[in-house]
Amino acid sequence: MEHSDEDIRLALSTARKAMKIVVFIGMVSVILLMINIYIMLTQISATAQITRELQIIKQSTKIDTKNIQTLSR
């Protein structure tokens, strides 16, 4: 079977369009992945900060309760 020049050009243009679509979808996927990683890191740092603040609050309430107990005696 012989392929005409028109068939070859059509096949090449279809392949180019397919590659452009693949590259575009790949870029969008990478951008979405980066956004997801950023959100996860933000959540992790927020959780760590909340934990730190809770520890500080616990320590300060322990000090206050010890001072109140010593004053009441």
Side-chain angles (χ1 to χ4, degrees):
M1 286 185 96
E2 253 183 69
H3 297 290
S4 68
D5 288 342
E6 186 64 31
D7 290 341
I8 293 172
R9 272 191 248 125
L10 180 63
L12 286 175
S13 74
T14 304
R16 284 187 187 115
K17 287 179 185 177
M19 284 304 298
K20 286 179 184 177
I21 291 170
V22 167
V23 169
F24 176 75
I25 290 175
M27 287 181 177
V28 170
S29 298
V30 168
I31 290 171
L32 290 175
L33 179 67
M34 289 171 58
I35 291 171
N36 190 19
I37 289 173
Y38 173 75
I39 290 171
M40 288 174 61
L41 288 175
T42 304
Q43 288 177 344
I44 289 170
S45 65
T47 303
Q49 184 177 359
I50 290 171
T51 303
R52 232 180 292 125
E53 289 177 5
L54 281 174
Q55 288 176 350
I56 292 171
I57 290 171
K58 282 181 183 179
Q59 288 175 353
S60 67
T61 54
K62 284 180 185 177
I63 292 171
D64 289 342
T65 54
K66 286 180 184 177
N67 288 339
I68 292 171
Q69 287 175 355
T70 55
L71 290 174
S72 64
R73 288 183 187 173

Coordinates of all heavy atoms in Angstrom, one line a residue:
M1 N 0.8 -1.2 0.0 CA 0.0 0.0 0.0 C 0.9 1.2 0.0 O 1.8 1.3 0.8 CB -0.9 0.0 1.2 CG -2.0 -0.9 1.2 SD -3.0 -0.7 2.7 CE -4.3 0.4 2.0
E2 N 0.5 2.1 -0.8 CA 1.2 3.4 -0.9 C 0.5 4.5 -0.1 O -0.7 4.5 -0.1 CB 1.3 3.9 -2.4 CG 2.7 3.7 -2.9 CD 2.7 4.3 -4.3 OE1 2.6 5.5 -4.5 OE2 2.8 3.5 -5.2
H3 N 1.3 5.3 0.6 CA 0.7 6.4 1.3 C 1.0 7.7 0.6 O 2.1 8.0 0.2 CB 1.3 6.5 2.7 CG 1.0 5.3 3.6 ND1 -0.2 5.0 4.0 CD2 1.8 4.3 4.0 CE1 -0.2 3.8 4.7 NE2 1.0 3.4 4.7
S4 N -0.1 8.5 0.4 CA 0.1 9.7 -0.3 C 0.7 10.8 0.6 O 0.7 10.6 1.9 CB -1.2 10.2 -0.9 OG -2.1 10.6 0.2
D5 N 1.2 11.8 0.0 CA 1.8 12.9 0.8 C 0.7 13.5 1.8 O 1.1 13.9 2.9 CB 2.4 14.0 -0.1 CG 3.7 13.6 -0.8 OD1 4.3 12.6 -0.3 OD2 4.0 14.2 -1.8
E6 N -0.5 13.6 1.3 CA -1.6 14.1 2.1 C -1.8 13.3 3.4 O -2.0 13.8 4.5 CB -2.9 14.2 1.3 CG -4.0 14.9 2.0 CD -3.7 16.4 2.3 OE1 -3.0 17.0 1.5 OE2 -4.2 16.8 3.3
D7 N -1.8 11.9 3.2 CA -2.0 11.1 4.3 C -0.8 11.2 5.4 O -1.0 11.2 6.6 CB -2.0 9.6 3.9 CG -3.3 9.3 3.1 OD1 -4.3 10.0 3.3 OD2 -3.3 8.2 2.4
I8 N 0.4 11.4 4.9 CA 1.6 11.5 5.7 C 1.5 12.9 6.5 O 1.7 12.9 7.7 CB 2.9 11.4 4.9 CG1 3.0 10.0 4.4 CG2 4.1 11.9 5.8 CD1 4.2 9.9 3.4
R9 N 1.1 13.9 5.8 CA 0.9 15.2 6.4 C -0.2 15.2 7.5 O -0.1 15.8 8.6 CB 0.6 16.3 5.4 CG 1.9 16.9 4.9 CD 1.6 18.2 4.0 NE 1.9 17.8 2.6 CZ 1.1 17.9 1.6 NH1 -0.1 18.4 1.8 NH2 1.5 17.5 0.4
L10 N -1.3 14.5 7.2 CA -2.4 14.4 8.1 C -1.9 13.6 9.4 O -2.2 14.0 10.5 CB -3.6 13.7 7.5 CG -4.8 13.5 8.4 CD1 -5.4 14.9 8.8 CD2 -5.9 12.7 7.6
A11 N -1.2 12.6 9.2 CA -0.7 11.8 10.3 C 0.3 12.6 11.2 O 0.2 12.6 12.4 CB 0.0 10.5 9.8
L12 N 1.1 13.3 10.5 CA 2.1 14.2 11.3 C 1.4 15.3 12.0 O 1.7 15.6 13.2 CB 3.2 14.8 10.3 CG 4.2 13.8 9.8 CD1 5.1 14.5 8.8 CD2 5.0 13.2 11.0
S13 N 0.4 15.9 11.4 CA -0.3 17.0 12.1 C -1.1 16.4 13.3 O -1.2 17.0 14.4 CB -1.2 17.8 11.2 OG -2.3 17.0 10.8
T14 N -1.7 15.3 13.1 CA -2.4 14.6 14.2 C -1.5 14.3 15.4 O -1.8 14.5 16.5 CB -3.1 13.4 13.7 OG1 -4.0 13.7 12.6 CG2 -4.0 12.7 14.8
A15 N -0.3 13.7 15.0 CA 0.7 13.4 16.0 C 1.2 14.6 16.8 O 1.3 14.6 18.0 CB 1.9 12.7 15.4
R16 N 1.4 15.7 16.1 CA 1.8 17.0 16.7 C 0.7 17.5 17.7 O 1.0 18.0 18.8 CB 2.1 18.1 15.6 CG 3.4 17.8 14.9 CD 3.8 19.0 14.0 NE 5.0 18.6 13.2 CZ 5.0 18.5 11.9 NH1 3.9 18.7 11.2 NH2 6.1 18.2 11.3
K17 N -0.5 17.5 17.2 CA -1.6 17.9 18.1 C -1.7 17.0 19.3 O -1.9 17.5 20.4 CB -2.9 17.9 17.3 CG -3.1 19.0 16.3 CD -4.4 18.9 15.6 CE -4.5 19.9 14.5 NZ -5.8 19.8 13.7
A18 N -1.5 15.7 19.1 CA -1.6 14.8 20.3 C -0.4 15.1 21.3 O -0.6 15.1 22.5 CB -1.5 13.4 19.8
M19 N 0.8 15.4 20.7 CA 1.9 15.7 21.6 C 1.6 17.1 22.4 O 2.0 17.2 23.5 CB 3.2 15.8 20.8 CG 3.7 14.4 20.5 SD 4.0 13.4 21.9 CE 5.2 14.3 22.8
K20 N 1.1 18.0 21.7 CA 0.8 19.3 22.4 C -0.2 19.1 23.5 O -0.1 19.7 24.6 CB 0.2 20.3 21.4 CG 1.2 20.9 20.4 CD 0.6 21.8 19.4 CE 1.6 22.3 18.4 NZ 1.1 23.2 17.4
I21 N -1.2 18.2 23.2 CA -2.2 17.9 24.3 C -1.5 17.2 25.5 O -1.8 17.6 26.6 CB -3.4 17.1 23.7 CG1 -4.2 17.9 22.7 CG2 -4.3 16.5 24.8 CD1 -5.2 17.1 21.9
V22 N -0.7 16.3 25.2 CA 0.0 15.6 26.3 C 0.9 16.5 27.1 O 0.9 16.4 28.3 CB 0.9 14.4 25.7 CG1 1.8 13.8 26.7 CG2 -0.1 13.3 25.1
V23 N 1.6 17.4 26.4 CA 2.5 18.3 27.1 C 1.6 19.3 28.0 O 2.0 19.6 29.1 CB 3.4 19.1 26.1 CG1 4.1 20.3 26.8 CG2 4.4 18.2 25.5
F24 N 0.5 19.8 27.4 CA -0.3 20.7 28.2 C -0.9 20.0 29.4 O -0.9 20.6 30.5 CB -1.5 21.2 27.3 CG -2.5 22.1 28.0 CD1 -2.1 23.4 28.3 CD2 -3.7 21.6 28.3 CE1 -3.0 24.2 28.9 CE2 -4.6 22.4 29.0 CZ -4.3 23.7 29.3
I25 N -1.4 18.8 29.3 CA -2.0 18.1 30.4 C -0.9 17.8 31.4 O -1.1 17.9 32.6 CB -2.7 16.8 29.9 CG1 -3.9 17.1 29.2 CG2 -3.0 15.9 31.1 CD1 -4.7 16.0 28.5
G26 N 0.3 17.5 31.0 CA 1.4 17.2 31.9 C 1.8 18.5 32.7 O 2.0 18.4 33.9
M27 N 1.8 19.6 32.0 CA 2.1 20.9 32.8 C 1.0 21.2 33.8 O 1.3 21.6 34.9 CB 2.2 22.0 31.8 CG 3.4 22.0 31.0 SD 3.5 23.5 29.9 CE 5.0 23.3 29.1
V28 N -0.3 21.0 33.4 CA -1.4 21.3 34.3 C -1.3 20.3 35.5 O -1.5 20.7 36.7 CB -2.7 21.1 33.6 CG1 -3.9 21.1 34.6 CG2 -2.9 22.2 32.6
S29 N -0.9 19.1 35.3 CA -0.8 18.1 36.4 C 0.3 18.5 37.3 O 0.2 18.4 38.5 CB -0.5 16.7 35.8 OG -1.5 16.3 35.0
V30 N 1.4 19.0 36.8 CA 2.6 19.4 37.6 C 2.2 20.6 38.5 O 2.5 20.7 39.6 CB 3.8 19.7 36.8 CG1 4.9 20.4 37.6 CG2 4.4 18.4 36.2
I31 N 1.4 21.6 37.9 CA 1.0 22.8 38.6 C 0.0 22.4 39.7 O 0.2 22.9 40.9 CB 0.3 23.8 37.6 CG1 1.4 24.4 36.7 CG2 -0.4 24.9 38.4 CD1 0.9 25.3 35.6
L32 N -0.9 21.5 39.4 CA -1.8 21.0 40.5 C -1.1 20.3 41.6 O -1.4 20.4 42.8 CB -2.9 20.1 39.9 CG -3.9 20.9 39.0 CD1 -4.9 19.9 38.4 CD2 -4.7 21.9 39.8
L33 N -0.1 19.5 41.2 CA 0.7 18.8 42.2 C 1.5 19.8 43.1 O 1.5 19.6 44.3 CB 1.7 17.9 41.5 CG 2.6 17.1 42.4 CD1 1.8 16.1 43.2 CD2 3.7 16.3 41.6
M34 N 2.0 20.8 42.5 CA 2.7 21.8 43.3 C 1.8 22.6 44.3 O 2.1 22.8 45.4 CB 3.4 22.8 42.4 CG 4.6 22.2 41.7 SD 5.3 23.3 40.4 CE 5.8 24.7 41.3
I35 N 0.6 22.9 43.8 CA -0.4 23.5 44.7 C -0.8 22.6 45.8 O -0.9 23.0 47.0 CB -1.7 23.9 43.9 CG1 -1.3 25.0 42.9 CG2 -2.8 24.3 44.8 CD1 -2.4 25.4 41.9
N36 N -0.9 21.3 45.5 CA -1.3 20.3 46.6 C -0.2 20.2 47.6 O -0.4 20.2 48.8 CB -1.5 19.0 45.9 CG -2.1 18.0 46.9 OD1 -2.6 18.3 47.9 ND2 -2.0 16.7 46.5
I37 N 1.1 20.2 47.2 CA 2.2 20.1 48.1 C 2.3 21.4 49.0 O 2.5 21.3 50.2 CB 3.5 19.9 47.3 CG1 3.6 18.5 46.7 CG2 4.7 20.2 48.2 CD1 4.7 18.2 45.8
Y38 N 2.0 22.5 48.4 CA 2.0 23.8 49.1 C 1.0 23.8 50.2 O 1.2 24.2 51.4 CB 1.8 25.0 48.2 CG 1.6 26.3 48.9 CD1 2.7 26.9 49.5 CD2 0.4 26.9 49.0 CE1 2.5 28.1 50.1 CE2 0.2 28.1 49.7 CZ 1.3 28.7 50.2 OH 1.1 29.9 50.9
I39 N -0.2 23.3 49.9 CA -1.3 23.3 50.8 C -1.0 22.3 52.0 O -1.2 22.6 53.2 CB -2.6 22.9 50.2 CG1 -3.1 24.0 49.3 CG2 -3.7 22.5 51.2 CD1 -4.3 23.6 48.4
M40 N -0.4 21.2 51.6 CA 0.0 20.2 52.7 C 1.0 20.8 53.6 O 1.0 20.6 54.8 CB 0.5 18.9 52.0 CG -0.7 18.1 51.4 SD -0.1 16.6 50.5 CE 0.7 15.7 51.8
L41 N 2.0 21.4 53.1 CA 3.1 22.1 53.9 C 2.5 23.1 54.8 O 2.9 23.3 56.0 CB 4.2 22.6 53.0 CG 5.1 21.6 52.3 CD1 6.1 22.3 51.4 CD2 5.8 20.7 53.4
T42 N 1.6 23.9 54.3 CA 0.9 24.9 55.1 C 0.2 24.3 56.2 O 0.2 24.8 57.4 CB 0.0 25.8 54.2 OG1 0.7 26.3 53.1 CG2 -0.6 26.9 55.0
Q43 N -0.6 23.2 56.0 CA -1.3 22.6 57.0 C -0.4 22.0 58.1 O -0.7 22.1 59.3 CB -2.2 21.4 56.4 CG -3.4 21.9 55.6 CD -4.2 20.8 55.0 OE1 -3.7 19.7 54.9 NE2 -5.4 21.1 54.6
I44 N 0.7 21.4 57.6 CA 1.7 20.9 58.6 C 2.3 21.9 59.5 O 2.4 21.8 60.7 CB 2.8 20.1 57.8 CG1 2.3 18.8 57.2 CG2 4.0 19.8 58.8 CD1 3.2 18.1 56.3
S45 N 2.7 23.1 58.9 CA 3.2 24.1 59.7 C 2.2 24.7 60.7 O 2.5 25.1 61.8 CB 3.9 25.2 58.8 OG 2.9 25.8 58.1
A46 N 0.9 24.8 60.2 CA -0.1 25.4 61.1 C -0.4 24.4 62.2 O -0.6 24.9 63.4 CB -1.4 25.6 60.3
T47 N -0.4 23.1 62.0 CA -0.6 22.2 63.0 C 0.6 22.2 64.0 O 0.3 22.2 65.2 CB -0.7 20.7 62.4 OG1 -1.8 20.7 61.5 CG2 -0.9 19.7 63.5
A48 N 1.8 22.4 63.6 CA 2.9 22.5 64.5 C 2.8 23.7 65.3 O 3.1 23.7 66.5 CB 4.2 22.5 63.7
Q49 N 2.4 24.8 64.7 CA 2.3 26.1 65.5 C 1.2 25.9 66.6 O 1.3 26.4 67.7 CB 1.9 27.2 64.6 CG 1.9 28.6 65.3 CD 1.6 29.7 64.3 OE1 1.5 29.5 63.1 NE2 1.5 30.9 64.8
I50 N 0.1 25.3 66.2 CA -1.0 25.1 67.2 C -0.5 24.2 68.3 O -0.8 24.5 69.5 CB -2.3 24.5 66.5 CG1 -2.9 25.5 65.6 CG2 -3.2 24.0 67.5 CD1 -4.0 24.9 64.7
T51 N 0.2 23.2 68.0 CA 0.8 22.3 69.1 C 1.7 23.1 70.0 O 1.6 22.9 71.2 CB 1.5 21.1 68.4 OG1 0.6 20.4 67.5 CG2 2.0 20.2 69.5
R52 N 2.6 23.9 69.4 CA 3.5 24.7 70.2 C 2.7 25.6 71.1 O 3.0 25.8 72.3 CB 4.4 25.5 69.3 CG 5.8 25.4 69.6 CD 6.7 26.2 68.6 NE 6.7 25.7 67.3 CZ 6.4 26.3 66.2 NH1 6.1 27.6 66.3 NH2 6.4 25.8 65.0
E53 N 1.7 26.3 70.6 CA 0.9 27.2 71.4 C 0.2 26.5 72.5 O 0.1 27.0 73.7 CB -0.1 28.0 70.6 CG 0.6 29.0 69.7 CD -0.4 29.7 68.8 OE1 -1.6 29.5 68.9 OE2 0.1 30.5 67.9
L54 N -0.3 25.3 72.3 CA -1.0 24.5 73.3 C 0.0 24.1 74.4 O -0.4 24.1 75.6 CB -1.6 23.2 72.7 CG -3.0 23.4 72.0 CD1 -3.4 22.1 71.3 CD2 -4.0 23.9 73.0
Q55 N 1.2 23.8 74.0 CA 2.2 23.4 75.1 C 2.5 24.6 75.9 O 2.6 24.5 77.2 CB 3.5 22.9 74.4 CG 3.3 21.5 73.8 CD 4.5 21.0 73.1 OE1 5.4 21.8 72.8 NE2 4.6 19.8 72.7
I56 N 2.6 25.8 75.3 CA 2.9 27.0 76.1 C 1.7 27.3 77.0 O 1.9 27.6 78.2 CB 3.1 28.2 75.1 CG1 4.4 28.0 74.4 CG2 3.1 29.5 75.9 CD1 4.6 29.0 73.2
I57 N 0.5 27.1 76.6 CA -0.7 27.4 77.4 C -0.7 26.4 78.6 O -1.0 26.7 79.7 CB -2.0 27.3 76.6 CG1 -2.1 28.5 75.6 CG2 -3.2 27.2 77.5 CD1 -3.2 28.4 74.6
K58 N -0.4 25.1 78.3 CA -0.4 24.1 79.4 C 0.7 24.4 80.4 O 0.4 24.4 81.6 CB -0.1 22.7 78.8 CG -1.3 22.1 78.1 CD -0.9 20.7 77.6 CE -2.1 20.1 76.9 NZ -1.7 18.7 76.3
Q59 N 1.9 24.9 79.9 CA 2.9 25.2 80.9 C 2.5 26.4 81.7 O 2.8 26.4 82.9 CB 4.2 25.5 80.1 CG 4.9 24.3 79.5 CD 6.1 24.6 78.7 OE1 6.4 25.7 78.4 NE2 6.8 23.5 78.2
S60 N 1.9 27.4 81.1 CA 1.5 28.6 81.9 C 0.4 28.3 82.9 O 0.4 28.8 84.0 CB 1.1 29.7 80.9 OG -0.1 29.4 80.3
T61 N -0.5 27.4 82.5 CA -1.6 27.1 83.5 C -1.0 26.2 84.6 O -1.5 26.3 85.7 CB -2.7 26.3 82.8 OG1 -2.2 25.2 82.1 CG2 -3.4 27.2 81.8
K62 N 0.0 25.4 84.4 CA 0.6 24.6 85.4 C 1.3 25.6 86.4 O 1.2 25.4 87.6 CB 1.6 23.6 84.9 CG 1.0 22.4 84.3 CD 2.1 21.5 83.7 CE 1.4 20.3 83.0 NZ 2.5 19.4 82.4
I63 N 2.0 26.6 85.9 CA 2.7 27.5 86.8 C 1.6 28.3 87.6 O 1.8 28.5 88.8 CB 3.5 28.5 85.9 CG1 4.7 27.7 85.3 CG2 4.0 29.7 86.8 CD1 5.5 28.5 84.3
D64 N 0.5 28.7 87.0 CA -0.5 29.4 87.7 C -1.1 28.6 88.8 O -1.4 29.1 89.9 CB -1.6 29.9 86.7 CG -1.1 31.1 85.8 OD1 0.0 31.7 86.1 OD2 -1.7 31.3 84.7
T65 N -1.4 27.4 88.5 CA -2.1 26.5 89.5 C -1.1 26.2 90.6 O -1.5 26.2 91.8 CB -2.5 25.2 88.9 OG1 -1.4 24.5 88.2 CG2 -3.7 25.4 87.9
K66 N 0.2 26.1 90.4 CA 1.2 25.9 91.4 C 1.2 27.2 92.3 O 1.3 27.1 93.5 CB 2.5 25.6 90.9 CG 2.7 24.2 90.3 CD 4.0 24.0 89.8 CE 4.1 22.6 89.1 NZ 5.4 22.3 88.5
N67 N 1.2 28.4 91.7 CA 1.2 29.6 92.5 C 0.0 29.8 93.3 O 0.1 30.2 94.4 CB 1.4 30.8 91.5 CG 2.8 30.9 90.9 OD1 3.7 30.3 91.5 ND2 2.9 31.6 89.8
I68 N -1.1 29.4 92.8 CA -2.4 29.5 93.5 C -2.4 28.6 94.7 O -2.8 28.9 95.8 CB -3.6 29.2 92.6 CG1 -3.7 30.4 91.6 CG2 -4.9 29.1 93.4 CD1 -4.8 30.1 90.5
Q69 N -1.9 27.4 94.5 CA -1.8 26.4 95.6 C -0.9 26.8 96.7 O -1.2 26.7 97.9 CB -1.4 25.0 95.1 CG -2.5 24.3 94.2 CD -2.0 23.0 93.6 OE1 -0.8 22.7 93.8 NE2 -2.8 22.3 93.0
T70 N 0.2 27.4 96.4 CA 1.2 27.9 97.4 C 0.6 29.1 98.1 O 0.8 29.3 99.3 CB 2.5 28.2 96.8 OG1 2.4 29.2 95.7 CG2 3.2 27.0 96.3
L71 N -0.2 30.0 97.4 CA -0.7 31.1 98.1 C -1.9 30.8 99.0 O -2.1 31.4 100.0 CB -1.2 32.1 97.0 CG -0.2 32.8 96.2 CD1 -0.8 33.7 95.1 CD2 0.7 33.7 97.1
S72 N -2.6 29.7 98.7 CA -3.8 29.3 99.5 C -3.4 28.6 100.7 O -4.1 28.5 101.7 CB -4.7 28.5 98.7 OG -4.1 27.3 98.3
R73 N -2.1 28.2 100.8 CA -1.7 27.4 102.0 C -1.4 28.3 103.1 O -1.2 29.1 103.7 CB -0.5 26.6 101.7 CG -0.8 25.4 100.9 CD 0.4 24.5 100.6 NE 0.0 23.5 99.7 CZ 0.9 22.7 99.1 NH1 2.1 22.7 99.5 NH2 0.5 21.8 98.3

